[in-house]
Amino acid sequence: MQALRFRLALWGWRSLSDLIFWVLVGLWPYRRNMVLVNMARCFPTRSEKELRQMVTGYFRHLADLIVEPFLIRKMPHGGLGSLVYYENTQLIDRLLQDKKSVMLMASHYGSWEYLLSLPLQTDCQVLAAYTPVSSKWLNAWLLRLRSRFGVVMVPKSEWYRKALGWEEGSPAIFVTIADQRPPESGKYYLNFMNRKTFIQSGAARIAVQRNCAVVYLDVTRTRRNTYHFRFRLITEQPGELGEAGIMEHYYKALETTIERQPELWLWSHNRWKFHSRQGQKPVNALKLL
């Protein structure tokens, strides 16, 4: 009976996602020009047909992304395996057994909301940063939704202090969406997806100061609304790589992930608000509309 209810709910949410998709591409073309420009510049060798297919795939994924938090909201703990699968959890277990906290570097790729089920895979505390919304009611509802599986949600303004002040004798997993755009052009930049990209290095800075093991979350979508999460070690000695080295390894790994299924990254985000225009060829996205 429970399985039947889930299948009915899945059908309902997917139907809503299909409706949202047609709204996004037809009635209200949400940031379509930005998506086109970002994809065209990051994949300069792709044909116009390929770019159109990628854009369509992105908006289908974006529509799914909107409803996916609701899919796991009522999902029984034992049924989560039908939506998300964790691979290489033994890496996390070994690091925690060695009394090493883990800086888990995720990204705006796939369904990062599914990652909030991580406490079901480990006995240690899992902490994640969030940005509060202005509505107190909505903020409280989102916190209940996101902490359902045991994640400790920490306001972004308190994240650095909370992470650095965590008890040394109690290893924890610090989940960070590390591909955030900095508020201004910052001191670190690198070549990412064929573009000069300014980056935030707060996750790496915390890892170095706390001597956390740094782990990258590799994500694959295996079928609609279903994701495969794989833990990949970047380093157990963050001091040896330093902030810049950790971020370079992270962005190289993320680039590989994106190239595998490009439609799953958040292309409508203005990731390259700060970049050098020197030598950059203009992209006429209007011809692709």
Side-chain angles (χ1 to χ4, degrees), residues 16-280:
L16 178 59
S17 174
D18 292 340
L19 176 61
I20 293 171
F21 166 72
W22 288 113
V23 170
L24 291 176
V25 300
L27 299 179
W28 181 46
Y30 176 70
R31 295 191 175 185
R32 183 176 176 84
N33 192 59
M34 180 177 294
V35 174
L36 282 166
V37 168
N38 281 338
M39 285 185 168
R41 284 183 171 151
C42 291
F43 297 98
T45 62
R46 299 290 179 99
S47 67
E48 182 175 325
K49 180 181 179 180
E50 289 174 314
L51 287 172
R52 287 181 182 275
Q53 291 173 341
M54 287 167 57
V55 170
T56 300
Y58 171 71
F59 281 106
R60 287 195 180 277
H61 169 63
L62 184 61
D64 278 346
L65 193 63
I66 291 171
V67 305
E68 281 171 351
F70 301 96
L71 282 179
I72 63 171
R73 180 172 176 242
K74 295 294 185 180
M75 168 66 78
H77 290 190
L80 278 172
S82 63
L83 295 178
V84 56
Y85 174 75
Y86 289 88
E87 182 186 347
N88 200 22
T89 55
Q90 61 269 28
L91 168 64
I92 302 297
D93 293 339
R94 179 181 66 78
L95 293 169
L96 295 173
Q97 288 170 5
D98 292 342
K99 303 298 182 184
K100 295 279 289 188
S101 286
V102 175
M103 178 58 68
L104 182 61
M105 299 180 72
S107 59
H108 289 102
Y109 187 90
S111 181
W112 50 95
E113 294 283 348
Y114 278 23
L115 187 54
L116 298 175
S117 65
L118 181 57
L120 301 180
Q121 305 294 318
T122 179
D123 294 329
C124 82
Q125 192 68 73
V126 179
L127 295 86
Y130 77 97
T131 301
V133 297
S134 57
S135 168
K136 290 185 178 180
W137 175 85
L138 180 58
N139 192 64
W141 183 83
L142 287 172
L143 281 177
R144 286 196 301 271
L145 176 65
R146 290 171 170 171
S147 59
R148 177 186 174 221
F149 300 109
V151 172
V152 175
M153 302 301 299
V154 180
K156 194 173 181 180
S157 60
E158 302 175 16
W159 177 246
Y160 196 77
R161 178 181 58 81
K162 185 77 170 179
L164 288 182
W166 190 257
E167 302 90 339
E168 287 291 340
S170 179
I173 300 175
F174 303 99
V175 178
T176 304
I177 305 298
D179 57 344
Q180 301 278 4
R181 185 194 71 209
E184 53 189 21
S185 57
K187 65 177 181 177
Y188 287 128
Y189 68 87
L190 42 73
N191 183 49
F192 170 63
M193 300 300 298
N194 299 304
R195 304 181 70 178
K196 179 178 179 179
T197 306
F198 288 97
I199 63 173
Q200 289 195 50
S201 60
R205 188 179 311 120
I206 292 172
V208 170
Q209 293 188 22
R210 282 196 57 94
N211 194 31
C212 294
V214 182
V215 175
Y216 172 70
L217 184 74
D218 192 14
V219 182
T220 304
R221 186 179 63 191
T222 55
R223 60 181 184 274
R224 188 176 183 184
N225 308 122
T226 307
Y227 298 89
H228 185 123
F229 291 162
R230 183 174 186 270
F231 300 112
R232 293 176 50 192
L233 181 67
I234 292 180
T235 182
E236 293 185 50
Q237 304 298 329
E240 295 180 1
L241 283 181
E243 288 182 39
I246 290 171
M247 297 310 297
E248 184 176 358
H249 279 72
Y250 165 77
Y251 272 99
K252 283 183 178 178
L254 177 57
E255 192 169 82
T256 300
T257 298
I258 292 172
E259 288 174 348
R260 186 172 60 227
Q261 291 177 295
E263 68 275 10
L264 301 187
W265 199 51
L266 195 61
W267 294 100
S268 51
H269 175 55
N270 192 4
R271 182 63 185 81
W272 288 279
K273 182 177 181 179
F274 308 108
H275 64 277
S276 172
R277 297 181 183 275
Q278 184 177 1
Q280 185 179 65

